[in-house]
Amino acid sequence: MDETIIQVSHLTGGFGDATVLEDVSFEVRRGEIFIILGGSGCGKSTLLYHMIGLMKPFAGSILINGKDIVTARGDERGKILSSFGVSFQAGALLGSMTVGENVMLPLREHSSLPPSAAEWIARQKLSLVGLEGTSHLKPSQLSGGMQKRAALARAIALDPDILFLDEPSAGLDPVTAAQLDGLILQLSKTLGATFVIVTHELQSIRTLGGRAIMLDKKTKGIIAQGYPRDLQNDRTNPTVWKFFNRSMEFNPV
């Protein structure tokens, strides 16, 4: 039986007085690639920010390894936060630090490793994402695709159970995006970690092929769930069909 590692139950959330998500529930299984997809403004990133504790929902619970990140405080919350890594859409690398120092940040924050050990781990993580010999460079000296890889190296610095990736291939050319998708598939097999990926890029969705939920701006909830290969042929929901077939017109035939 597949083990549940994340359980979102009856989540209602948003920002300020604006409700973006209403009564959203789903589960993520340990070791899978789980995709959160949908059009612009449907709440994909908002859902992710709730799941990683950056935003507090109006209602509902988010259990990570059985612990509710919404209600956890102190050391318990710290343990939950250290159990996952995050790679944000823009990379969020600190320009004043070297690439190696960026990757070492989680180690400095959540471990008591001596600097020499942290530096060695950072180099190993950079090597794992194909960035050998870049630890001394500044982020500005890297290409967009390399910056995404460096952010991924930082996300795996603590060998987390879960990796949250927000639009990992956004802004990349098709070849670089495909290479990054390939890296994610490789890391999934190598690390055995659970990947939760927010994306609207169709090619990435098809390449990664993991179980997915599709959010909808109008309904503020999940309108479809399943594997991309099945969702793209689903003619029961016009919104889903148009998204996967890049069409403004619905063809139910």
Side-chain angles (χ1 to χ4, degrees):
M1 186 174 183
D2 294 324
E3 180 186 357
T4 297
I5 191 171
I6 302 173
Q7 183 172 359
V8 177
S9 300
H10 305 292
L11 176 73
T12 295
F15 39 86
D17 295 327
T19 298
V20 178
L21 302 164
E22 286 185 351
D23 198 25
V24 171
S25 298
F26 61 91
E27 295 179 350
V28 179
R29 302 163 188 159
R30 186 177 296 276
E32 75 173 332
I33 294 178
F34 185 85
I35 302 171
I36 301 172
L37 59 90
S40 299
C42 70
K44 300 186 300 295
S45 293
T46 300
L47 175 57
L48 181 72
Y49 295 159
H50 283 306
M51 293 174 73
I52 64 176
L54 283 182
M55 297 174 69
K56 186 175 181 179
F58 303 149
S61 63
I62 303 167
L63 302 184
I64 297 179
N65 282 313
K67 304 294 184 180
D68 192 349
I69 195 172
V70 177
T71 58
R73 299 289 183 271
D75 290 343
E76 183 181 34
R77 182 177 174 84
K79 289 179 181 178
I80 297 173
L81 294 176
S82 63
S83 72
F84 60 76
V86 183
S87 177
F88 294 98
Q89 180 174 345
L93 299 174
L94 299 178
S96 60
M97 295 182 173
T98 65
V99 173
E101 288 169 341
N102 269 278
V103 177
M104 283 190 284
L105 277 176
L107 298 167
R108 291 176 174 173
E109 185 75 20
H110 297 288
S111 78
S112 56
L113 289 172
S116 59
E119 290 174 7
W120 182 85
I121 290 174
R123 289 196 298 271
Q124 294 302 308
K125 300 306 180 184
L126 286 168
S127 177
L128 197 58
V129 300
L131 290 180
E132 302 91 338
T134 63
S135 61
H136 66 289
L137 300 176
K138 291 292 182 68
S140 60
Q141 295 176 277
L142 302 182
S143 67
M146 293 171 75
Q147 288 183 24
K148 298 272 190 176
R149 288 172 178 259
L152 194 50
R154 183 176 62 188
I156 63 175
L158 290 169
D159 297 321
D161 293 332
I162 307 166
L163 287 159
F164 292 97
L165 311 183
D166 187 15
E167 297 283 5
S169 58
L172 301 179
D173 65 81
V175 173
T176 304
Q179 291 172 341
L180 188 61
D181 291 338
L183 175 61
I184 291 171
L185 289 172
Q186 177 185 328
L187 289 176
S188 174
K189 294 178 181 178
T190 303
L191 303 177
T194 304
F195 280 76
V196 178
I197 303 174
V198 166
T199 184
H200 68 275
E201 302 286 347
L202 270 180
Q203 190 55 55
S204 290
I205 292 167
R206 289 171 176 145
T207 299
L208 297 172
R211 198 165 56 91
I213 58 171
M214 182 171 179
L215 301 179
D216 179 65
K217 186 176 182 179
K218 291 181 180 179
T219 64
K220 300 181 181 180
I222 299 171
I223 58 169
Q225 50 188 317
Y227 290 94
R229 62 177 180 269
D230 299 321
L231 294 177
Q232 68 182 2
N233 296 316
D234 181 8
R235 298 178 185 273
T236 62
N237 189 311
T239 302
V240 177
W241 194 91
K242 289 177 184 178
F243 179 89
F244 276 94
N245 292 278
R246 293 181 179 272
S247 175
M248 294 296 293
E249 299 295 331
F250 175 53
N251 179 11
V253 178

